[in-house]
Amino acid sequence: MTNSTILVAETRAEATPTTMWAMQYGGPHITKWAQVPMPVIHDDTDAIVRVDMTTICGSDLHILKGDVPEVTNGRILGHEAVGTVQKIGKGVSTLKVGDRVIVSCITSCATCVYCRQARYGQCINGGGWILGHLIDGTQAQYVRVPFADTSTTAVPQGISDEELLMLSDIVPTGYEIGVLNGQVKPGDVVAVVGAGPVGLSAIMTARLFSPRAIVAIDLDDGRLAQAKKFGADVTINNSTVEPLAAIMAMTDNLGVDVAIEAVGVPATFELATTLVRPCGRVANIGVHGAPVTLHMEKLWGHDVTITMGLVDTSSTPTLLALIAADRLDVSQFATHHFTMDKFEEAYRVFGDAANSGALKVIVTSK
Ligand code: NAD
Ligand code: ZN
């Protein structure tokens, strides 16, 4: 080796960054695009993933409202990403540096009693919803992914990054916690309260089961127009129309078979419980930050099933197969594009969906 090549090698080694840019939580209503230390391998099963594409979730807005008090000041937000593996710990066996992966919003140890039942959201070994919640998340140039082998999905050929990004959280959430928990069946009438990206995911995946009708309910006409595109048959703007009367008129005064709540405030949960017919199912998806009233005095005799849950992302392989087979078009979610240095603007646009028309904002590293 000549002297000049040694010099180049040394310069490159020095150039390895020790800091990166990231979107930090700064307390209720405050975000900060800040320079922070690079994540490092902490446990043998960790990987460091370079974030090529990430996005913002309704849950991030709940965090900013102060609804998720476990999120502490300085926490890097975000739990959705498509990226490239940069480093792996000694215990990582299925990933290698350079692999492209979907980072799931749910981290799974794969061995605990819940993970053994594919209930990854309930992982008791340090997994579950931790990214951008209990540990630093994906709204950054790099992210440390614990249990990397079982908390990422290899990127298949032929599906765009934007589509893959929708599998980090929103589409599995609408499908597992809305449609599967609500047991949507052929011929059902399904109401979805809240037509944000998660509610739209529930609408889109409910169609896989041939319901008789899907009714979308939202305060925002723009979101209701989107709901039609995603497969809703009927839309109700509950700022102007009383949804209960409209639903009863459609269902011989019985109510819907399945009411899916995809907002996360007391009023919409209570609304979902009033729309459901006797023997029907209420599937709550929303992240709640306040107690809700359960009207047992009205519901007790109606044999109603109420479910709630944190997504497991166990459906990711099924959803990937459906996208690959052109049975689901998740590309429609991407409405706005930003580079990471414009992250604060991306939050403003996503948080003002009624005016901006945003569904999912795509934030890329370059
Ligand atoms: P979002 O904020 O983009 O959408 C919420 C929608 O609800 C908006 O279209 C809004 O106009 C509508 N809305 C608000 N108040 C309403 C009301 N009173 N009546 C009717 N509609 C109303 O959020 P999103 O990303 O679609 O997420 C939806 C919910 O799902 C959030 O609570 C989010 O935290 C939650 N979530 C849960 C899980 C889980 O695992 N359970 C995972 C991801 C997201
Ligand atoms: Zn586990």
PDB file of all heavy atoms in Angstrom, residues 72-84:
ATOM      1  N   THR A  72     -40.827  10.654  26.746  1.00  0.00           N
ATOM      2  CA  THR A  72     -40.134  11.679  27.530  1.00  0.00           C
ATOM      3  C   THR A  72     -39.474  12.716  26.620  1.00  0.00           C
ATOM      4  O   THR A  72     -39.234  12.450  25.434  1.00  0.00           O
ATOM      5  CB  THR A  72     -39.053  11.010  28.419  1.00  0.00           C
ATOM      6  OG1 THR A  72     -38.290  10.149  27.577  1.00  0.00           O
ATOM      7  CG2 THR A  72     -39.680  10.194  29.536  1.00  0.00           C
ATOM      8  N   ASN A  73     -39.173  13.863  27.179  1.00  0.00           N
ATOM      9  CA  ASN A  73     -38.528  14.939  26.418  1.00  0.00           C
ATOM     10  C   ASN A  73     -37.220  14.461  25.799  1.00  0.00           C
ATOM     11  O   ASN A  73     -36.413  13.818  26.475  1.00  0.00           O
ATOM     12  CB  ASN A  73     -38.198  16.116  27.333  1.00  0.00           C
ATOM     13  CG  ASN A  73     -39.386  17.021  27.493  1.00  0.00           C
ATOM     14  OD1 ASN A  73     -40.475  16.702  27.015  1.00  0.00           O
ATOM     15  ND2 ASN A  73     -39.193  18.145  28.157  1.00  0.00           N
ATOM     16  N   GLY A  74     -37.027  14.792  24.540  1.00  0.00           N
ATOM     17  CA  GLY A  74     -35.783  14.411  23.865  1.00  0.00           C
ATOM     18  C   GLY A  74     -35.909  13.104  23.099  1.00  0.00           C
ATOM     19  O   GLY A  74     -35.015  12.768  22.312  1.00  0.00           O
ATOM     20  N   ARG A  75     -36.994  12.371  23.294  1.00  0.00           N
ATOM     21  CA  ARG A  75     -37.192  11.096  22.583  1.00  0.00           C
ATOM     22  C   ARG A  75     -37.293  11.360  21.084  1.00  0.00           C
ATOM     23  O   ARG A  75     -37.995  12.290  20.656  1.00  0.00           O
ATOM     24  CB  ARG A  75     -38.494  10.435  23.084  1.00  0.00           C
ATOM     25  CG  ARG A  75     -38.916   9.173  22.376  1.00  0.00           C
ATOM     26  CD  ARG A  75     -37.957   8.009  22.584  1.00  0.00           C
ATOM     27  NE  ARG A  75     -37.863   7.593  23.970  1.00  0.00           N
ATOM     28  CZ  ARG A  75     -36.689   7.432  24.625  1.00  0.00           C
ATOM     29  NH1 ARG A  75     -35.542   7.648  24.023  1.00  0.00           N
ATOM     30  NH2 ARG A  75     -36.680   7.039  25.888  1.00  0.00           N
ATOM     31  N   ILE A  76     -36.571  10.579  20.283  1.00  0.00           N
ATOM     32  CA  ILE A  76     -36.714  10.676  18.823  1.00  0.00           C
ATOM     33  C   ILE A  76     -38.007   9.961  18.446  1.00  0.00           C
ATOM     34  O   ILE A  76     -38.232   8.811  18.835  1.00  0.00           O
ATOM     35  CB  ILE A  76     -35.508  10.052  18.098  1.00  0.00           C
ATOM     36  CG1 ILE A  76     -34.216  10.799  18.478  1.00  0.00           C
ATOM     37  CG2 ILE A  76     -35.717  10.087  16.586  1.00  0.00           C
ATOM     38  CD1 ILE A  76     -32.937  10.151  17.959  1.00  0.00           C
ATOM     39  N   LEU A  77     -38.864  10.673  17.709  1.00  0.00           N
ATOM     40  CA  LEU A  77     -40.192  10.157  17.363  1.00  0.00           C
ATOM     41  C   LEU A  77     -40.112   9.189  16.173  1.00  0.00           C
ATOM     42  O   LEU A  77     -39.085   9.094  15.512  1.00  0.00           O
ATOM     43  CB  LEU A  77     -41.109  11.330  17.025  1.00  0.00           C
ATOM     44  CG  LEU A  77     -41.425  12.272  18.194  1.00  0.00           C
ATOM     45  CD1 LEU A  77     -42.012  13.583  17.687  1.00  0.00           C
ATOM     46  CD2 LEU A  77     -42.373  11.591  19.181  1.00  0.00           C
ATOM     47  N   GLY A  78     -41.234   8.531  15.901  1.00  0.00           N
ATOM     48  CA  GLY A  78     -41.373   7.743  14.673  1.00  0.00           C
ATOM     49  C   GLY A  78     -41.243   6.246  14.884  1.00  0.00           C
ATOM     50  O   GLY A  78     -40.387   5.775  15.640  1.00  0.00           O
ATOM     51  N   HIS A  79     -42.133   5.503  14.195  1.00  0.00           N
ATOM     52  CA  HIS A  79     -42.094   4.040  14.323  1.00  0.00           C
ATOM     53  C   HIS A  79     -42.355   3.365  12.984  1.00  0.00           C
ATOM     54  O   HIS A  79     -42.772   2.215  12.936  1.00  0.00           O
ATOM     55  CB  HIS A  79     -43.105   3.586  15.387  1.00  0.00           C
ATOM     56  CG  HIS A  79     -44.468   4.194  15.210  1.00  0.00           C
ATOM     57  ND1 HIS A  79     -44.863   5.328  15.897  1.00  0.00           N
ATOM     58  CD2 HIS A  79     -45.484   3.879  14.404  1.00  0.00           C
ATOM     59  CE1 HIS A  79     -46.092   5.660  15.502  1.00  0.00           C
ATOM     60  NE2 HIS A  79     -46.497   4.791  14.601  1.00  0.00           N
ATOM     61  N   GLU A  80     -42.121   4.098  11.895  1.00  0.00           N
ATOM     62  CA  GLU A  80     -42.327   3.542  10.548  1.00  0.00           C
ATOM     63  C   GLU A  80     -41.088   3.884   9.722  1.00  0.00           C
ATOM     64  O   GLU A  80     -40.638   5.025   9.755  1.00  0.00           O
ATOM     65  CB  GLU A  80     -43.562   4.192   9.902  1.00  0.00           C
ATOM     66  CG  GLU A  80     -44.862   3.922  10.652  1.00  0.00           C
ATOM     67  CD  GLU A  80     -45.923   4.996  10.400  1.00  0.00           C
ATOM     68  OE1 GLU A  80     -45.857   6.064  11.018  1.00  0.00           O
ATOM     69  OE2 GLU A  80     -46.800   4.749   9.591  1.00  0.00           O
ATOM     70  N   ALA A  81     -40.573   2.907   8.981  1.00  0.00           N
ATOM     71  CA  ALA A  81     -39.430   3.208   8.102  1.00  0.00           C
ATOM     72  C   ALA A  81     -39.182   2.092   7.098  1.00  0.00           C
ATOM     73  O   ALA A  81     -39.504   0.930   7.338  1.00  0.00           O
ATOM     74  CB  ALA A  81     -38.151   3.416   8.918  1.00  0.00           C
ATOM     75  N   VAL A  82     -38.580   2.513   5.982  1.00  0.00           N
ATOM     76  CA  VAL A  82     -37.926   1.577   5.072  1.00  0.00           C
ATOM     77  C   VAL A  82     -36.475   2.039   5.038  1.00  0.00           C
ATOM     78  O   VAL A  82     -36.209   3.241   4.912  1.00  0.00           O
ATOM     79  CB  VAL A  82     -38.552   1.624   3.662  1.00  0.00           C
ATOM     80  CG1 VAL A  82     -37.773   0.734   2.694  1.00  0.00           C
ATOM     81  CG2 VAL A  82     -40.012   1.189   3.713  1.00  0.00           C
ATOM     82  N   GLY A  83     -35.547   1.109   5.205  1.00  0.00           N
ATOM     83  CA  GLY A  83     -34.161   1.544   5.298  1.00  0.00           C
ATOM     84  C   GLY A  83     -33.171   0.462   4.906  1.00  0.00           C
ATOM     85  O   GLY A  83     -33.551  -0.609   4.417  1.00  0.00           O
ATOM     86  N   THR A  84     -31.901   0.771   5.152  1.00  0.00           N
ATOM     87  CA  THR A  84     -30.796  -0.096   4.753  1.00  0.00           C
ATOM     88  C   THR A  84     -29.970  -0.438   5.990  1.00  0.00           C
ATOM     89  O   THR A  84     -29.586   0.475   6.734  1.00  0.00           O
ATOM     90  CB  THR A  84     -29.902   0.639   3.711  1.00  0.00           C
ATOM     91  OG1 THR A  84     -30.752   1.144   2.679  1.00  0.00           O
ATOM     92  CG2 THR A  84     -28.863  -0.282   3.115  1.00  0.00           C
TER      93      THR A  84
END
